[in-house]
Amino acid sequence: MKNEKKEGLAFGTQNYKILIAALLAIISGYVLMSGGGSESPAIFNPEIFNFRRITLAPIFLLSGFAAVMFAIMKTK
Amino acid sequence: MNNGIGWAVFAVSAYTFLKTMEPTASFWDCGEYIATSYKLQVGHPPGAPLFQMIGRLFSLFDGGDVTKAAIMVNTMSALSSAFAVLFLFWSITHIAKKIVLRNGAEMTDAKMWAVMGSGIVGALAYNFSDSFWFSAVEGEVYGMAQLFTAFVFWIILKWESVADQPHNERWIILIAYSIGLSIGVHLLCLLTIPSIVFIYYFKNFKVTQKGFIITLILSVVMLGGILNGIIPGIINMAANFEIFFVNSFHLPYNSGTIIYFLLILGIIVVGLKYTHTENEKLFNYFLAACGVFFVIALVSAPNGGVGTFRFVVGAAVLGLLYYARKKTMILNTVILCFSMLVIGYSSFIMLVIRSNAPTPMNENAPKDAIGLLSYLGREQYGDWPLFYGQYYNAPLDNQKPYLDGNPVYMQAPVDQAKGPAKVEDRYVISDDRVGTIPNYDPAFCTLFPRMWNSESNHVAAYRSWAGIKHDKTTDAEGHERPVRPSFGENIQYFVFYQMNWMFWRYFLWNFSGRQNDIQGHGNITDGNWITGFKAFDDWRLDSKGTLESTKNNKGTNRFYGLPVILGLIGLFFHFKVNNKDGFVVLLLFLFTGLAIIVFLNQYPYQPRERDYAYAGAFYAWTIWIGLGVLAIFEWLSQKTAAKTSAIVSTLACFLAVPTLMAKDGWDDHDRSKRYTCRDFAKDYLDSCAPNAILFTNGDNDTFPLWYVQEVEGYRTDVRVCNLSLFNTDWYINQMKRKAYDSDPMPLSLTEDKYRQGTRDFLIFYDRKLKGSIPVKEVVDFMGSDEQQSKVQMNSGRETNYFPTKNLRIPVDSALVLKNGTVPASMANRIVHSIDWKLEKNYIMKNDLMVLDLLATNNWKRPIYFAVTTGPEAYMNLQDYFQLEGLAYRLVPVKADPQEQQTMGGTRVASDIMYDNIMKFSWGGMEHKGVYLDENISRMCTNLRIQMGTLATALATEGKKEKAMKVCDKCLEVIPEGNVPYDATIYQIVVTYYQLGAYDKANKLAKQLFDLFEADMNYYIGLGSKSAGYSREMRQAGEIMNRLAYMAKTNKQEPLAKDFETRFSVFAQMNPNTQTQ
């Protein structure tokens, strides 16, 4: 294995680790966001707008998207 | 210094936008964007999920006050725009620095000052430019879209200075990621790709003619590949995989989508692993996985054309990968760029998740890959030809008039007859789209078709823009035959309308001057570009002076062409000293400007001015405005000391361009005291009784209402139903769900009756039925799947139809009295049934649904039509309408002919409307100095019309005190200073005379007379050109004549005499103006 070549690639181990963490945050965001609707059309379920779905979830998602940027630009 | 001054520019920019932004929602799409941000709902295609999430984050800082959520979303726009200005500053100083250091020159203080001066002047010129400023102060996506564009352009410049260092690829990957993210806001950012490719090319390669051309082609292919390939393609293939796996292998729903994304993930991981280890075995796996992917993509392709395309692309990609197997460095960067683009793009998952919930606002219901595909495709907006297609008068092909579209799939519905048992998961066709795409006669098709829309008012405008004299002829048998317009006429339309009117005019608004804020369709008085030099403008427009009624228009801006001139200086200078960079900026200018024009292929009479779409091109221009400073600096420094030159050139340009633009632009961008959008929406809702159903039609009588209901929780008992959306199955489904306090809309038709492709429209087929038929029976008949209720079409298809135009709504008089539909005082006027004629030869799905509502509601809930929906929507029921504010209510009382006083020819429920109007809020227009643009002014004058109608009705009924109050209120809350008087104030004058309030009446009559007299003189002064204003002249003449007549009959002698004398001048001059 040519070591200097590996060094030349854009991402090192640390970048990938941050990237995976960021993706996990994004996935968690989507999981937190899901559901909440009412089964019956005659009933309105306000849970669809609860803290978990429209506050916590987007915070996870946006942190994830921001962390991807960090994962890309991070140098040792 | 670069950073310090940059942030100072940012501060100025942020101050400008935060100071002038609207303190609540704005018109057009803003109300919808704010509502979908605040509650993470699904807005109109193609969606802006990232914008919504960031908007949601900002709205968390509203301090728990729902009325402040909108201002927080607007703040996000303002700050995004200020950041765009900051990146512009840094981009200009980067480019300028390269120029002053050319040929190995040394940096000096003076040069540094000049570089900073360029940045300040250029960035602030953009900050104060008309189109960008407009979007910066409202909750629209354009501010953030411009931020992404500015950011990406700045990154590539940044990369340029580190291109020879290790890890420089990270900047490129960051660009790919940013572009991916930007898709979740707006696609504008993608148009920077050609510039990016050229910066890369100039930096890494020696420029040759061949290389230059190849790069140009490659950059366009890359842009097209991402825009038309990757973005829809990722979802398209997911949808194909999904149908393929579910239908062929009997797998449960979503398994195809999951397999698809796992396969892509696998390919990316193995590919990256290979580039790091260079293990050949891994490469084989990688290639094999790609192969499998393409094979499935091929088998699951919906038709042969797509299959062939995928085969070609797949073979090319596999070949390229094999060819590049040793170039692991490049392979690694490419795979990472692709992955980051997809990760950025993944924000769209939010829409799928929320649509599945489902949220009350769920436009197009993109519940799965298949739904998301049609969502992204913006299918509801129709299609237009680009490279090859029809002229507006093209007949259909004789042999094959219609082609087949791609079928629309859906999850197999539960069979009602067999009970609620679970059906096997599979996709079935809901709409086969056979014979749905018109196929035009090739003799009337052309390359690069520009005049393609066949709507009659568009055709008339095509003729006048392209100077078409003959586009039809009569053959020997006396039949009228269309004649193909010439290609020259086609190009004339392209140049005169699409390029000049719809791009260069906007460009000059921003950098030369703007006549007024009235939407222009090509005449000399509305929305032209000007210089501000009166003599020149009058000469160019062939006009004399200004129309009286637009004299005080705040939208008038005069920049004397200075930003154009400084930009031109910068442009020439840039190409002289660094033609490569000049070319890069030129590409940015062209792709965010004229390329959009070519792509949109606009027809005339656009619903609004479109300048906001080209803010990217204006961005590029301000780079040159900045460099203009540098050019002047270099020229001056040959004559005088360098430091003096730097200061003088910066100061002079600063005063002549951004300062001037700020000074003249401020009054027409300051929205800080404007609440019209929110308040008018409340007024619509407050025109309705509790639990009403309110039909609306356009953007501006719908989106603001959604905003006040969804965000501010105002009058959520009212069900707002937009009639154009009511043509779609997903919207009907939403209407049948409870939303907040509003119960499901009472509709009898079940989903299988109105699904896309079923009963999209019904033709009238006269069954010669006697008498009026109850709507319920007719709706049941139209909803029947029995063969005897269908008729065969020419195509051989059997379809439902409507059998009679004579319809009946039965009335339960006890019920309508009890629930207050009709007050006890009018009990004797309740009709036994509403028998009426539906004057249509075919009805659309929304008409069918309205009829269903009329049949099923049975007078239980109040039904209203907004005054802005227009007669088309009224189903010919006006005789039974009563005006109650900004909406007509359907009641079982027939209006007498003399009661039909409104614009729509209906009765006025004067007491109800009086109470409603007195409770209305007025959006701040009652305060001095609030800026109301043309769009809002039109709504204000509409309010004036409704108040005038009410006043007249009250006066006629002898309710003099109330009538007087309405007139006074109208003048008070819609003051002349903010909404100039026009014909809509006339009814108030009439009522004042009727009430004997002669002082008030005379004063108003005189103002109105003066205005129309001045306008008339302007028109007459135009000479032969006045022919184009015959309608306006007729109206002016009519009003002057009537005012004179009214003054006379009310015995206001001196005034009457004065009017008559002055009017007689015109009456002699032009017989057209005389009416009676």
Side-chain angles (χ1 to χ4, degrees):
Chain A
M1 214 70 58
K2 289 156 270 178
N3 244 348
E4 65 279 1
K5 184 143 201 184
K6 257 169 84 181
E7 294 247 315
L9 293 183
F11 279 19
T13 326
Q14 226 186 346
N15 301 75
Y16 284 113
K17 278 184 182 159
I18 303 171
L19 183 63
I20 289 168
L23 290 178
L24 286 177
I26 292 173
I27 292 167
S28 319
Y30 286 131
V31 172
L32 288 169
M33 191 182 276
S34 59
S38 138
E39 288 294 315
S40 154
I43 298 164
F44 176 73
N45 184 1
E47 286 302 299
I48 200 169
F49 302 125
N50 67 10
F51 173 78
R52 192 189 97 199
R53 293 195 176 84
I54 66 167
T55 304
L56 200 56
I59 289 174
F60 264 78
L61 282 162
L62 291 174
S63 325
F65 284 123
V68 173
M69 225 171 249
F70 185 62
I72 295 171
M73 298 314 290
K74 171 88 178 142
T75 45
K76 269 164 256 157
Chain B
M1 183 145 82
N2 196 16
N3 284 341
I5 297 180
W7 287 106
V9 168
F10 170 83
V12 171
S13 177
Y15 173 81
T16 309
F17 298 144
L18 291 174
K19 184 91 183 153
T20 55
M21 73 181 170
E22 197 146 349
T24 181
S26 317
F27 281 105
W28 302 106
D29 298 345
C30 301
E32 188 204 24
Y33 277 125
I34 292 166
T36 53
S37 298
Y38 184 61
K39 286 182 161 174
L40 297 185
Q41 307 199 58
V42 183
H44 72 267
L50 184 70
F51 173 90
Q52 287 174 244
M53 284 190 252
I54 302 176
R56 172 63 194 158
L57 191 68
F58 270 83
S59 78
L60 293 176
F61 298 96
D62 63 6
D65 179 356
V66 289
T67 64
K68 295 285 187 291
I71 203 169
M72 289 318 297
V73 176
N74 295 354
T75 302
M76 166 177 79
S77 248
L79 292 180
S80 300
S81 305
F83 273 109
V85 170
L86 174 62
F87 286 117
L88 174 60
F89 174 83
W90 283 335
S91 300
I92 295 174
T93 55
H94 174 95
I95 294 170
K97 234 182 261 172
K98 272 170 75 182
I99 292 174
V100 295
L101 298 181
R102 68 186 183 277
N103 307 328
E106 299 242 319
M107 186 52 101
T108 62
D109 278 356
K111 281 180 183 170
M112 195 44 133
W113 292 357
V115 165
M116 293 301 135
S118 306
I120 295 170
V121 171
L124 288 182
Y126 190 57
N127 184 58
F128 293 115
S129 66
D130 192 14
S131 306
F132 176 65
W133 195 347
F134 182 88
S135 301
V137 291
E138 63 177 26
E140 252 282 9
V141 293
Y142 298 99
M144 195 179 279
Q146 193 57 49
L147 168 59
F148 272 100
T149 311
F151 181 57
V152 164
F153 192 74
W154 174 76
I155 300 176
I156 192 70
L157 295 176
K158 192 90 191 156
W159 168 83
E160 203 184 13
S161 39
V162 297
D164 37 14
Q165 294 169 21
H167 298 301
N168 71 73
E169 295 84 8
R170 286 179 295 121
W171 293 99
I172 307 279
I173 298 168
L174 185 63
I175 289 178
Y177 181 57
S178 306
I179 289 178
L181 282 177
S182 80
I183 304 169
V185 179
H186 191 273
L187 295 174
L188 176 73
C189 178
L190 271 84
L191 299 172
T192 55
I193 289 175
S195 302
I196 293 171
V197 171
F198 267 91
I199 288 182
Y200 190 87
Y201 169 68
F202 289 146
K203 189 78 194 178
N204 281 342
F205 299 89
K206 195 172 156 3
V207 180
T208 61
Q209 200 176 14
K210 202 173 126 199
F212 183 84
I213 292 170
I214 291 175
T215 311
L216 193 63
I217 295 171
L218 210 66
S219 66
V220 176
V221 169
M222 239 174 101
L223 172 61
I226 297 180
L227 200 62
N228 288 317
I230 295 183
I231 294 176
I234 285 181
I235 311 293
N236 197 346
M237 285 195 279
N240 296 159
F241 269 56
E242 171 71 7
I243 296 174
F244 177 70
F245 279 100
V246 171
N247 283 8
S248 307
F249 297 102
H250 305 279
L251 295 175
Y253 288 136
N254 293 326
S255 32
T257 315
I258 293 168
I259 293 172
Y260 173 78
F261 281 107
L262 286 180
L263 197 52
I264 291 183
L265 184 69
I267 289 172
I268 289 173
V269 170
V270 177
L272 286 177
K273 191 99 187 155
Y274 164 71
T275 56
H276 280 269
T277 61
E278 301 196 356
N279 179 340
E280 296 233 353
K281 218 183 202 170
L282 279 176
F283 182 75
N284 293 339
Y285 290 150
F286 173 64
L287 211 58
C290 289
V292 170
F293 181 84
F294 282 118
V295 169
I296 304 178
L298 207 57
V299 227
S300 65
N303 61 48
V306 176
T308 317
F309 180 73
R310 283 185 191 166
F311 179 78
V312 173
V313 172
V317 170
L318 290 179
L320 273 176
L321 288 177
Y322 187 74
Y323 171 76
R325 69 192 180 283
K326 296 283 174 220
K327 301 193 160 86
T328 45
M329 187 84 186
I330 294 178
L331 211 52
N332 179 274
T333 310
V334 169
I335 297 175
L336 279 175
C337 281
F338 175 77
S339 318
M340 294 306 139
L341 188 83
V342 175
I343 293 172
Y345 184 22
S346 75
S347 62
F348 277 79
I349 296 172
M350 179 201 109
L351 297 177
V352 178
I353 288 179
R354 292 302 273 172
S355 175
N356 268 296
T359 46
M361 287 171 76
N362 185 8
E363 292 195 55
N364 286 53
K367 283 199 298 202
D368 47 29
I370 295 155
L372 189 60
L373 179 64
S374 87
Y375 183 81
L376 286 171
R378 301 166 65 112
E379 275 175 9
Q380 83 210 58
Y381 300 117
D383 210 356
W384 61 87
L386 198 54
F387 300 112
Y388 179 82
Q390 78 279 8
Y391 280 118
Y392 59 85
N393 59 356
L396 292 177
D397 188 70
N398 266 334
Q399 311 293 321
K400 198 161 175 29
Y402 290 97
L403 302 175
D404 301 341
N406 284 330
V408 179
Y409 285 87
M410 61 165 183
Q411 300 184 353
V414 178
D415 191 342
Q416 299 293 348
K418 286 185 189 154
K422 180 93 174 74
V423 287
E424 190 200 20
D425 282 1
R426 63 185 289 104
Y427 289 95
V428 295
I429 292 177
S430 78
D431 183 3
D432 60 15
R433 307 271 296 276
V434 170
T436 53
I437 299 176
N439 182 32
Y440 296 98
D441 184 348
F444 284 83
C445 291
T446 176
L447 284 174
F448 200 62
R450 296 281 111 187
M451 303 185 286
W452 53 272
N453 192 303
S454 59
E455 273 178 51
S456 63
N457 65 330
H458 297 162
V459 170
Y462 283 140
R463 287 191 189 118
S464 88
W465 283 104
I468 299 171
K469 299 266 175 347
H470 307 287
D471 59 1
K472 53 184 162 220
T473 178
T474 315
D475 67 9
E477 289 145 37
H479 295 302
E480 204 171 77
R481 299 252 178 245
V483 173
R484 176 195 164 108
S486 74
F487 194 70
E489 287 161 344
N490 189 42
I491 293 302
Q492 180 173 339
Y493 174 75
F494 172 57
V495 173
F496 283 7
Y497 181 74
Q498 295 188 332
M499 286 174 65
N500 286 359
W501 190 256
M502 295 307 282
F503 179 76
W504 290 113
R505 180 172 62 106
Y506 295 143
F507 173 82
L508 290 161
W509 274 7
N510 277 277
F511 301 120
S512 176
R514 181 173 178 175
Q515 189 182 27
N516 50 47
D517 63 12
I518 301 168
Q519 186 180 3
H521 292 292
N523 70 26
I524 59 170
T525 48
D526 303 333
N528 289 285
W529 68 271
I530 55 167
T531 58
F533 296 109
K534 220 170 159 355
F536 175 85
D537 293 330
D538 277 355
W539 167 78
R540 189 185 79 81
L541 292 166
D542 195 9
S543 160
K544 280 199 192 72
T546 312
L547 192 59
E548 182 67 25
S549 41
T550 62
K551 252 184 194 154
N552 298 318
N553 192 292
K554 285 186 177 173
T556 308
N557 293 327
R558 297 181 189 87
F559 306 145
Y560 305 100
L562 292 173
V564 172
I565 294 167
L566 189 58
L568 277 174
I569 295 173
L571 187 161
F572 286 117
F573 174 69
H574 202 193
F575 272 90
K576 200 179 119 209
V577 296
N578 187 345
N579 56 11
K580 289 179 185 170
D581 276 6
F583 183 70
V584 166
V585 179
L586 180 68
L587 278 178
L588 185 65
F589 180 76
L590 291 178
F591 273 88
T592 52
L594 291 171
I596 303 182
I597 287 287
V598 170
F599 171 76
L600 289 177
N601 204 356
Q602 282 161 329
Y603 48 75
Y605 295 115
Q606 292 287 314
R608 61 185 289 200
E609 297 282 17
R610 300 296 190 188
D611 57 307
Y612 58 85
Y614 313 107
F618 309 151
Y619 182 88
W621 188 260
T622 52
I623 295 178
W624 284 326
I625 289 183
L627 297 183
V629 178
L630 205 58
I632 295 173
F633 159 74
E634 292 209 349
W635 176 75
L636 270 182
S637 51
Q638 291 165 0
K639 326 228 164 227
T640 173
K643 285 189 174 175
T644 322
S645 314
I647 294 168
V648 169
S649 58
T650 302
L651 258 183
C653 294
F654 183 80
L655 290 175
V657 177
T659 312
L660 180 63
M661 290 167 80
K663 183 192 139 286
D664 235 23
W666 196 279
D667 62 347
D668 52 308
H669 291 91
D670 184 6
R671 311 189 189 182
S672 55
K673 293 186 191 98
R674 191 160 94 193
Y675 293 89
T676 42
C677 173
R678 179 195 72 187
D679 284 1
F680 292 176
K682 289 182 173 178
D683 295 344
Y684 272 106
L685 294 169
D686 285 338
S687 301
C688 301
N691 300 316
I693 291 162
L694 170 64
F695 287 111
T696 62
N697 209 8
D699 290 357
N700 288 328
D701 59 8
T702 306
F703 295 154
L705 278 65
W706 287 352
Y707 161 75
V708 290
Q709 288 191 318
E710 295 283 344
V711 179
E712 303 200 5
Y714 194 81
R715 286 301 302 272
T716 46
D717 60 306
V718 178
R719 175 69 70 148
V720 176
C721 177
N722 179 287
L723 283 166
S724 15
L725 299 179
F726 213 24
N727 269 317
T728 64
D729 48 7
W730 50 266
Y731 191 68
I732 301 170
N733 285 340
Q734 282 162 42
M735 290 296 112
K736 288 166 80 173
R737 290 187 77 88
K738 181 160 176 136
Y740 308 98
D741 303 319
S742 164
D743 282 332
M745 194 188 272
L747 295 170
S748 70
L749 295 173
T750 47
E751 187 176 358
D752 53 310
K753 309 285 189 192
Y754 57 76
R755 194 168 283 141
Q756 182 180 356
T758 314
R759 297 179 182 84
D760 289 339
F761 69 95
L762 301 161
I763 52 154
F764 170 62
Y765 178 71
D766 196 354
R767 290 288 298 271
K768 309 244 171 6
L769 300 172
K770 277 221 170 73
S772 299
I773 313 295
V775 190
K776 180 87 192 123
E777 280 176 37
V778 177
V779 169
D780 284 347
F781 179 80
M782 292 192 285
S784 160
D785 293 321
E786 302 296 323
Q787 205 179 350
Q788 63 256 36
S789 56
K790 296 192 177 184
V791 43
Q792 205 168 44
M793 302 281 281
N794 289 338
S795 61
R797 284 187 168 219
E798 297 209 320
T799 165
N800 285 94
Y801 62 96
F802 77 100
T804 178
K805 293 183 179 180
N806 297 309
L807 303 172
R808 159 176 297 173
I809 308 171
V811 179
D812 176 349
S813 51
L815 177 73
V816 294
L817 277 174
K818 194 170 147 249
N819 68 17
T821 307
V822 181
S825 59
M826 289 179 97
N828 59 336
R829 291 189 60 181
I830 298 174
V831 292
H832 176 66
S833 63
I834 294 183
D835 291 357
W836 94 104
K837 196 161 185 203
L838 183 63
E839 292 286 4
K840 291 188 178 190
N841 288 322
Y842 63 91
I843 58 172
M844 302 300 291
K845 191 178 279 168
N846 58 3
D847 299 318
L848 173 66
M849 299 317 293
V850 173
L851 289 176
D852 187 8
L853 172 72
L854 295 176
T856 315
N857 182 50
N858 214 1
W859 302 106
K860 286 197 193 78
R861 282 170 75 174
I863 295 174
Y864 287 85
F865 290 80
V867 289
T868 35
T869 47
E872 275 290 296
Y874 299 154
M875 310 294 276
N876 210 19
L877 280 164
Q878 291 94 311
D879 283 353
Y880 300 91
F881 278 2
Q882 63 183 22
L883 185 65
E884 296 192 356
L886 288 177
Y888 300 112
R889 181 171 181 175
L890 178 70
V891 288
V893 171
K894 189 167 184 176
D896 293 330
Q898 73 270 18
E899 287 180 320
Q900 300 182 342
Q901 292 167 327
T902 69
M903 293 272 286
T906 81
R907 198 163 54 80
V908 181
S910 58
D911 288 327
I912 301 176
M913 182 161 170
Y914 177 83
D915 290 343
N916 285 341
I917 287 229
M918 287 300 160
K919 282 188 303 210
F920 274 7
S921 32
W922 306 99
M925 69 169 159
E926 67 273 34
H927 302 306
K928 209 171 167 230
V930 169
Y931 171 58
L932 305 166
D933 62 27
E934 191 212 8
N935 177 46
I936 302 172
S937 293
R938 242 182 334 218
M939 294 180 226
C940 302
T941 47
N942 178 36
L943 267 165
R944 215 180 242 165
I945 292 173
Q946 308 305 340
M947 292 175 91
T949 310
L950 172 63
T952 314
L954 286 165
T956 314
E957 292 167 24
K959 297 163 185 163
K960 288 195 167 178
E961 199 182 324
K962 280 185 174 178
M964 189 67 122
K965 274 196 180 149
V966 172
C967 288
D968 292 347
K969 184 103 187 164
C970 181
L971 299 190
E972 176 203 327
V973 297
I974 317 175
E976 189 198 8
N978 292 335
V979 189
Y981 287 153
D982 61 3
T984 58
I985 199 77
Y986 175 76
Q987 208 59 35
I988 300 287
V989 185
V990 175
T991 313
Y992 272 141
Y993 275 124
Q994 213 173 340
L995 296 170
Y998 296 125
D999 287 349
K1000 289 178 183 173
N1002 288 345
K1003 182 168 168 256
L1004 216 49
K1006 195 170 167 325
Q1007 270 180 291
L1008 206 54
F1009 195 96
D1010 291 349
L1011 170 74
F1012 280 104
E1013 185 186 43
D1015 277 2
M1016 190 70 125
N1017 280 324
Y1018 171 85
Y1019 295 131
I1020 289 168
L1022 295 177
S1024 63
K1025 267 206 159 180
S1026 69
Y1029 290 91
S1030 58
R1031 201 165 52 98
E1032 286 82 355
M1033 290 170 78
R1034 212 160 34 239
Q1035 188 199 35
E1038 194 174 331
I1039 287 182
M1040 282 189 275
N1041 192 12
R1042 281 204 208 163
L1043 287 170
Y1045 177 79
M1046 216 161 21
K1048 193 168 181 183
T1049 47
N1050 284 290
K1051 308 208 166 54
Q1052 303 302 305
E1053 280 313 329
L1055 192 66
K1057 228 184 182 88
D1058 177 39
F1059 283 177
E1060 272 169 8
T1061 329
R1062 283 156 68 186
F1063 177 66
S1064 64
V1065 181
F1066 303 115
Q1068 283 159 9
M1069 207 181 304
N1070 186 350
N1072 276 343
T1073 55
Q1074 248 179 341
T1075 49
Q1076 201 48 261

